[in-house]
């Protein structure tokens, strides 16, 4: 594969890169310190060089998203034009973010936008005009690789507002979202069910990557969870017996 990174690959990174660099949807589940961010930035640079993407959109917990800009991009992708976004940016950060789009027709340089995931759980009236609008604008105008960093924290609960919104972008029609990545060193926090939401996002509009049992949360739970019937402390007034639930 014709690509040389800014910093050399370790052997396992080079092997993995050569296998998955052109794959649409990938979970990078290296343990901490093994180079998830480096692999992703190198993957984005490779795809941009081959005309596949114009934008790298990163969603991560607050603080982690700025780490991409201040630490990771200068080391691994100094040629990328990168800026962070949050709803309460400083004037300097806001100016740099706006500069990303000064010449939207210039696609010669890869752009990177890092957003904090907390912005996706704000009330609808704020979200629609801020994080939602920015994300929509990017996905409608730029060939994009979208990354969820620390996915088990960002989109753990399938029913949470931010998970639903992010999955909505992943499955949306008329968008230029061609590559998806989730990054996590501990993808399972408490139970196998933690995998459902991140991999549902990663699957996009295609077939579930975890198989047909992951088509929806109910079928996923039936396949991978063992439920117990337990008694509640509350008494059913009609029967005089404790409520039971699964």
């Amino acid at each position: 594969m014709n690509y040389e990174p800014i910093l050399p690959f370790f052997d396992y990174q080079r092997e993995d890169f050569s296998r998955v660099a052109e794959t649409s949807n990938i979970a990078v589940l290296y343990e901490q310190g093994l180079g998830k961010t480096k692999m992703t930035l190198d993957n984005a640079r490779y795809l941009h060089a081959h005309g596949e993407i114009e934008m790298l959109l990163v969603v991560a917990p607050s603080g982690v998203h700025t780490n991409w800009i201040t630490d990771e991009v200068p080391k691994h992708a100094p040629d990328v034009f990168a800026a962070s976004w949050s709803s309460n940016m400083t004037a300097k950060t806001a100016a740099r973010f706006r500069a990303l789009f000064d010449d939207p027709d210039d696609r010669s340089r890869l752009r990177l936008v890092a957003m904090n995931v907390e912005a996706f759980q704000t009330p609808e009236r704020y979200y629609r005009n801020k994080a939602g609008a920015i994300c929509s604008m990017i996905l409608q105008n730029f060939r994009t690789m979208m990354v969820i960093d620390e996915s088990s924290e960002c989109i753990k609960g399938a029913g949470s507002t931010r998970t639903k919104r992010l999955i909505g972008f992943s499955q949306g029609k008329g968008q230029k979202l061609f590559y998806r990545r989730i990054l996590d060193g501990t993808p399972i926090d408490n139970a196998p069910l933690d995998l459902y939401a991140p991999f549902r996002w990663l699957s996009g509009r295609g077939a579930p990557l975890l198989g047909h049992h992951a088509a929806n949360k109910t079928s996923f739970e039936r396949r991978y969870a063992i439920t117990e019937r337990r008694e509640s402390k509350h008494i059913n007034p009609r029967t005089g017996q404790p409520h039971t639930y699964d």
Side-chain angles (χ1 to χ4, degrees), residues 58 63-70 81-87 89-90 92-98 100-101 112-116 134:
V58 177
V64 176
H65 78 297
T66 56
N67 186 63
W68 280 75
I69 309 303
T70 59
F81 191 4
S84 61
W85 182 93
S86 65
S87 57
M89 292 184 288
T90 64
K92 181 178 179 180
T93 302
R96 181 169 179 82
F97 177 77
R98 289 193 298 271
L100 280 177
F101 307 100
L112 184 155
V113 172
M115 303 179 69
N116 62 314
I134 294 297

Side-chain angles (χ1 to χ4, degrees), residues 118-184:
E118 292 80 8
F120 289 85
Q121 64 188 32
T122 55
E124 182 66 25
R125 64 185 183 277
Y126 299 116
Y127 168 76
R128 188 170 54 248
N129 295 319
K130 294 188 177 183
I134 294 297
C135 206
S136 294
M137 180 273 292
I138 289 172
L139 295 178
Q140 289 170 8
N141 292 284
F142 297 90
R143 296 179 62 89
T144 301
M145 173 196 281
M146 189 171 180
V147 176
I148 307 292
D149 193 5
E150 297 194 16
S151 58
S152 62
E153 179 178 343
C154 290
I155 48 176
K156 178 178 179 180
S160 72
T161 297
R162 68 190 187 190
T163 296
K164 291 178 179 178
R165 286 169 172 170
L166 287 166
I167 289 177
F169 280 119
S170 182
Q171 297 178 345
K173 296 181 181 180
Q175 298 180 148
K176 298 182 178 182
L177 177 52
F178 296 108
Y179 295 88
R180 298 169 181 82
R181 302 289 186 263
I182 58 174
L183 316 183
D184 210 310

Side-chain angles (χ1 to χ4, degrees), residues 208-222:
L209 294 177
L210 294 182
H212 68 278
H213 294 294
N216 57 66
K217 187 181 179 184
T218 300
S219 62
F220 188 78
E221 288 178 345
R222 288 175 177 171

